[in-house]
Amino acid sequence: MTTLDERHDGDARETEGAYRPAATVPLGQLTPEQGRFAGSKAANLARAAGAGLPVLPGFVIPEGASEDTAGLRHVWEDLSESGALPLVVRSSSPQEDTQQSSLAGQFASVLDVLGWPDFRTAVRTVRDSAHRPDGSVAPMAVLVQPMLRARVGGVLFGADPVEGRADRMLVSAVRGGPDRLVSGEQAGTNYWLNRRGRLLRTEPPSAEALLTRSELRQLARLARRARKVFGGPQDIEFGFTGGEVGGGRLWLFQSRPITAMAVRPARGARLLGPGPVAETLPDQLQPLEADLWVTPMARGLTAALDIAGSAPRRLLRTVPVVTTVGGRAAADLRLLGAAPPRRRWLALLNPAPGARRLGAAWRVGRLTAALPGLAADLVADVDRGLAQVPAPAELPGPDLAAQLRWTRASLVSLHAQEALAGALLPVPPTSRTAAGAALTALTETRALGIPDEQAAAVAPTVLALTAPSLRGRGHLPQKPTPGSAHTQEKGSNGPFPSPNNPSPSRTSPNNPSPALTSPSRPSPALTSANNPSAAPTSPNHQPPAFTPRTPSLPPRESLRLRIRWVQELQVRLVREAARRLGPDGDRVELLRWPELAAVLDGGPLPADLPARVPQPESPPLPDAFRLADGAVVAERPNTDTDTGTGTGTGTGSKGRGNGVSGGRAVGTVWDGSGPRPSDAVLVVRTLDPALAPHLPGLAALVAQTGSPLSHLAVLAREFGVPAVVGATDAVRRFPPGSRIAVDGTTGDVRTGDAR
């Protein structure tokens, strides 16, 4: 076998002043100096073989090696037994299989090579693959080994890169060699193991058992040994030879570092979710909107939890009940009672003395009895305040600021009592809701020919059907459902029922409080007649005379309606402030509340306001998630929320696949042909490695088939591209040009805009 040509090496040093490798080097004889020219793949295999790991023999044609056709043919004949045995000819570049990037599947490998001419062609194919799509040329060595017929093969990760767990191993196996798996051609059977090789779960659960428990333990042992050799968990391609299950030999075909581990929340990270707050604030918010609506909501809910004794006061002082993530409102699900406690058994071991528990129950009972009257007083106060607000155009700047301060304080009280009413007041069998009353009013205004954009001005109850926004969103329903305004609607257990599915009232409709009725015109600021910034009115069309009905609503629904009225007043006040700011008014939503108050009181605009950019569009938040370094990490379906250990498959429901690269994105579907959208979500049938050049800059990747351990899935994690595989019928369901939201953690793929 040809090794180093010392004479040629000496000549090279004299003439070029640099080391030049030999034409071929046996895999078992690679030195660290030669390894620089042999590429990472060959160097890793040589290191593994030196540590006693089960590596096949072979040789390397180093980068920049001297031409020696006769010597090359000699080593080829030795390894292939003069062409009788097939070989595999693989790339081995210093740019692949490194700690920074795997470049998985980016360069060529040629399998099942028989004969000298085919071998020379395979070598040229591998070397030609060094030419990258961007025009650069990677240094390229060629690795040659025997081609084995594996009974079963696949990929072994010494850690779980999808869930970011170092205490788990992930194996994906297919019949035959691992090439069908890593190419994305076939989805494997996935096995999750603990560090000692004990099987935790299989996906899909009903899959054929390709690997025995003994073979899984062998793989776990191989992963532990490789971790010790290389100093970290490895991405290993393996194969078992032999015709019988459990009777073959394990071989290591490739080992490289795991380059992309999913972020994992810290232990004890809060469980967040849009939950009930998204029903009040469903849209993405800009900074001023968050200050006007999220901050008062958080303070109100904190007060409600404190009054009811639902959470320790120390915790409420340090943890915000409601916050924003990517501009979207999210709540602490445990504090609101929308998620079970971490340790349910502790609820059975309440250490509080009996007298204290009895006192707490007495206070809650008193509060429950007093709530209807308290709500009536608050509603009456808010109604009086709204009625006294002049049209915003008539208010000087300091008075605009004063009115906004009043609205923020009112929202704190309204949110607190609305939450208490939802939690403490009983649910009667029949009731009316603010949304139902709004649908009735909308039906009446439409029957009279009043345009929808003027409906809220003449019947403010209609506002219950829209969400607040400084940007003019909040469209009314196209067609009210017949009878929906009078149909009993079952509510959720949370404090904020959806406008589309509101909770029933909490008091008897036969004995409503007079103060809980809706005034026909709650504020001049909310009517088009007195407010030029209200809903536009055509100069040639005046709405017909209309006296809206005065709905009798239970306490909670009356409070909800006032919340929406106060928010709408804030919108009108801010729009008037924006009008006065002139050209800078279109950026008013980028201000923070203290900045806007200072400007209205006569101060200057922030100097950096022209440089501020709107909150970038973000996909909807998962139903439940935790934060890891600011990144959203969704709780997986059928996952224990305490330990994070998954028990489900992550697949099966329509629109959901298998999340293989964490992250969330919303964008435009692209099939890889034609003009590429700026926010392209590539939707394909299979994870073809040829798609790799498209990955940089993608918003997300969705495939109908594939494995979390395929080359393209690995690359997606490296590039930080959210990716989902196993999305049934994705190519048909998500045609090019449509908008979809993708969650690479849960595997959820939804049609429609993120808004």
Side-chain angles (χ1 to χ4, degrees):
M1 184 175 288
T2 306
T3 58
L4 292 176
D5 187 334
E6 298 295 344
R7 178 177 55 79
H8 179 79
D9 176 54
D11 293 343
R13 290 181 186 275
E14 292 176 5
T15 58
E16 302 179 28
Y19 171 79
R20 186 173 185 180
T24 59
V25 181
L27 192 59
Q29 298 180 19
L30 274 177
T31 65
E33 186 177 36
Q34 295 165 346
R36 293 188 297 111
F37 298 90
S40 303
K41 189 177 298 180
N44 289 346
L45 286 178
R47 186 174 175 182
L53 300 184
V55 176
L56 293 166
F59 63 88
V60 182
I61 307 174
E63 161 71 12
S66 58
E67 291 292 334
D68 185 356
T69 303
L72 178 61
R73 178 155 190 162
H74 177 68
V75 296
W76 169 80
E77 288 177 345
D78 282 350
L79 190 63
S80 67
E81 296 183 4
S82 299
L85 299 179
L87 304 179
V88 55
V89 181
R90 310 169 70 189
S91 65
S92 183
S93 171
Q95 294 183 359
E96 63 180 337
D97 295 354
T98 67
Q99 291 283 357
Q100 291 72 37
S101 176
S102 69
L103 290 182
Q106 293 295 279
F107 303 119
S109 291
V110 185
L111 309 179
D112 223 0
V113 179
L114 279 170
W116 172 249
D118 288 347
F119 173 73
R120 295 298 302 274
T121 300
V123 171
R124 287 194 298 270
T125 298
V126 170
R127 285 176 168 166
D128 289 345
S129 70
H131 296 269
R132 309 295 305 284
D134 60 3
S136 62
V137 180
M140 182 62 67
V142 181
L143 171 65
V144 184
Q145 291 178 287
M147 177 75 185
L148 290 186
R149 305 295 181 188
R151 174 186 60 82
V152 61
V155 179
L156 159 67
F157 272 72
D160 186 343
V162 180
E163 295 189 14
R165 301 196 61 162
D167 60 339
R168 298 287 186 266
M169 299 181 188
L170 177 56
V171 180
S172 190
V174 295
R175 290 197 176 278
D179 52 289
R180 298 178 64 191
L181 175 74
V182 299
S183 68
E185 176 185 346
Q186 181 176 342
T189 301
N190 299 323
Y191 303 87
W192 278 263
L193 315 175
N194 69 3
R195 294 287 295 274
R196 305 308 301 177
R198 182 172 65 86
L199 180 63
L200 301 176
R201 78 177 192 267
T202 303
E203 182 184 302
S206 59
E208 177 187 4
L210 299 178
L211 296 169
T212 65
R213 297 296 178 99
S214 173
E215 289 172 333
L216 290 172
R217 286 193 293 270
Q218 291 182 58
L219 288 170
R221 185 163 53 250
L222 175 62
R224 294 195 301 270
R225 293 177 63 191
R227 184 182 189 128
K228 186 176 298 183
V229 170
F230 294 102
Q234 296 291 292
D235 168 0
I236 296 171
E237 292 184 20
F238 69 90
F240 281 96
T241 59
E244 296 182 2
V245 176
R249 180 178 178 183
L250 172 62
W251 292 97
L252 185 154
F253 297 149
Q254 181 174 325
S255 182
R256 58 188 173 211
I258 297 177
T259 54
M261 288 280 287
V263 293
R264 182 166 176 79
R267 186 177 181 85
R270 291 195 298 155
L271 185 66
L272 303 173
V277 300
E279 299 166 358
T280 301
L281 300 173
D283 297 321
Q284 189 173 4
L285 305 173
Q286 295 300 329
L288 183 58
E289 293 175 319
D291 286 351
L292 290 177
W293 302 323
V294 176
T295 302
M297 178 188 289
R299 292 175 180 171
L301 289 179
T302 298
L305 293 172
D306 185 31
I307 292 170
S310 301
R313 185 167 295 176
R314 175 183 56 80
L315 182 63
L316 293 174
R317 283 197 296 262
T318 58
V319 175
V321 180
V322 182
T323 186
T324 56
V325 178
R328 295 185 180 274
D332 188 309
L333 298 180
R334 296 200 192 282
L335 282 177
L336 290 186
R342 288 189 178 90
R343 298 175 179 85
R344 302 180 187 182
W345 56 270
L346 284 180
L348 304 177
L349 303 175
N350 188 350
R356 185 190 304 173
R357 296 201 302 271
L358 183 62
W362 179 81
R363 287 193 301 273
V364 170
R366 288 286 300 267
L367 178 60
T368 301
L371 264 178
L374 294 173
D377 292 342
L378 178 59
V379 165
D381 288 342
V382 170
D383 286 348
R384 281 192 296 270
L386 288 172
Q388 294 171 2
V389 178
E394 301 173 5
L395 293 170
D399 289 348
L400 272 178
Q403 290 295 341
L404 282 169
R405 291 188 181 95
W406 174 79
T407 60
R408 296 181 82 236
S410 298
L411 284 178
V412 173
S413 300
L414 288 167
H415 280 301
Q417 289 208 26
E418 191 269 343
L420 288 171
L424 300 180
L425 295 183
V427 181
T430 60
S431 65
R432 292 206 65 188
T433 65
L439 281 172
T440 299
L442 180 61
T443 301
E444 293 174 348
T445 58
R446 285 173 169 172
L448 291 172
I450 299 176
D452 282 356
E453 62 269 17
Q454 299 176 35
V458 297
T461 308
V462 171
L463 289 170
L465 298 176
T466 64
S469 173
L470 296 178
R471 291 158 287 175
R473 292 203 306 267
H475 301 292
L476 293 170
Q478 293 299 315
K479 288 184 179 181
T481 303
S484 61
H486 307 284
T487 302
Q488 178 183 349
E489 297 151 324
K490 295 181 180 180
S492 64
N493 294 325
F496 299 101
S498 167
N500 297 322
N501 186 26
S503 290
S505 68
R506 305 291 187 175
T507 62
S508 171
N510 298 321
N511 187 27
S513 170
L516 299 181
T517 58
S518 167
S520 60
R521 290 188 182 274
S523 166
L526 295 179
T527 62
S528 59
N530 298 310
N531 178 22
S533 66
T537 303
S538 169
N540 299 321
H541 176 78
Q542 295 296 327
F546 174 65
T547 302
R549 296 181 182 179
T550 303
S552 298
L553 298 175
R556 187 185 187 190
E557 295 300 315
S558 290
L559 292 165
R560 286 174 57 83
L561 185 58
R562 270 57 180 194
I563 288 171
R564 184 63 190 91
W565 283 351
V566 172
Q567 291 170 337
E568 185 65 16
L569 175 57
Q570 291 176 318
V571 170
R572 306 291 171 84
L573 295 170
V574 171
R575 287 178 180 171
E576 174 59 25
R579 185 186 66 80
R580 299 180 188 184
L581 292 178
D584 294 317
D586 59 352
R587 306 181 70 78
V588 68
E589 64 191 35
L590 304 183
L591 294 172
R592 306 307 309 219
W593 159 242
E595 295 172 333
L596 177 61
V599 171
L600 293 175
D601 287 334
L605 285 168
D608 66 339
L609 182 60
R612 298 183 188 180
V613 296
Q615 178 79 34
E617 184 181 17
S618 65
L621 293 172
D623 294 340
F625 64 92
R626 304 178 198 271
L627 292 178
D629 297 328
V632 172
V633 181
E635 290 287 291
R636 293 179 176 272
N638 302 324
T639 295
D640 182 84
T641 55
D642 298 334
T643 64
T645 56
T647 58
T649 66
T651 60
S653 61
K654 186 175 181 180
R656 174 168 286 153
N658 188 10
V660 298
S661 179
R664 300 156 44 253
V666 61
T668 304
V669 173
W670 180 54
D671 62 1
S673 62
R676 172 172 172 163
S678 59
D679 57 351
V681 177
L682 184 61
V683 178
V684 294
R685 295 185 183 279
T686 61
L687 293 179
D688 186 342
L691 298 170
H694 295 314
L695 280 178
L698 281 181
L701 171 67
V702 177
Q704 292 185 180
T705 63
S707 162
L709 305 188
S710 65
H711 281 329
L712 215 62
V714 172
L715 288 174
R717 290 193 288 272
E718 288 184 14
F719 284 111
V721 176
V724 172
V725 302
T728 305
D729 207 17
V731 171
R732 183 190 64 81
R733 289 192 294 121
F734 310 126
S738 58
R739 298 281 293 174
I740 61 174
V742 179
D743 192 316
T745 303
T746 64
D748 197 25
V749 183
R750 302 182 185 182
T751 58
D753 216 325
R755 297 180 184 178

